[in-house]
Amino acid sequence: MALTPSPQDADRQDPEDPDRLPPADGPKVRRASRAMPSPDPNTNLMIADIVVRGGSLFLRRKLKDRMLLEEYDPEQVAKFKDGRGLLRTLGLFGASRLATGSMPGLALVAGGLAAKTIYDRGKARQLRRRRARKESASRGS
């Protein structure tokens, strides 16, 4: 048996769905203090998402440039930035999605980054030792 609205509730009906009554405390009042670009909430969410992602991308690029310029010459920085291919871009995108999707994903990505850091430091240490041996061998000869 369907519920039908009583005559005194007729003025409280939702105009978009006349069969559905608003909550007992009355219709939700819209706040006039918030200016939204569009009356459609989905459009507003898309605009907010684009703004947040664009700002994040801009800040990430600036941070990366600043970090690289602290350690390397501008020519080397340009070489690092140009060497990014499609496979690396997709890998980074996948890792970021995995890390933001769940705690196990975050742990996996963080563990992988820690392992890569340890590997890189080990390689740098080996390179320093080789150079030191070559220098000591060339001085001794």
Side-chain angles (χ1 to χ4, degrees), residues 34-120:
R34 293 185 185 153
M36 293 291 173
S38 171
D40 184 12
N42 288 324
T43 303
N44 291 331
L45 287 174
M46 275 195 305
I47 291 170
D49 191 38
I50 289 169
V51 168
V52 168
R53 286 177 191 254
S56 171
L57 182 64
F58 176 77
L59 289 174
R60 187 177 337 129
R61 285 181 181 167
K62 289 296 178 186
L63 178 66
K64 185 171 36 172
D65 289 347
R66 179 66 78 184
M67 286 174 43
L68 288 172
L69 286 171
E70 289 288 325
E71 294 288 325
Y72 302 101
D73 295 330
E75 297 86 28
Q76 288 177 313
V77 170
K79 189 171 70 172
F80 287 141
K81 289 169 63 177
D82 290 339
R84 188 170 170 180
L86 179 64
L87 188 62
R88 184 174 177 187
T89 301
L90 290 175
L92 291 172
F93 176 74
S96 67
R97 294 291 293 195
L98 182 64
T100 58
S102 66
M103 287 303 280
L106 176 62
L108 181 69
V109 171
L113 290 173
K116 173 72 167 120
T117 302
I118 292 168
Y119 174 78
D120 288 344

Side-chain angles (χ1 to χ4, degrees), residues 115-133:
K116 173 72 167 120
T117 302
I118 292 168
Y119 174 78
D120 288 344
R121 287 183 179 203
K123 284 291 190 180
R125 191 177 314 131
Q126 282 180 352
L127 185 60
R128 280 193 307 267
R129 287 180 186 162
R130 285 183 194 149
R131 286 181 183 162
R133 277 190 229 133

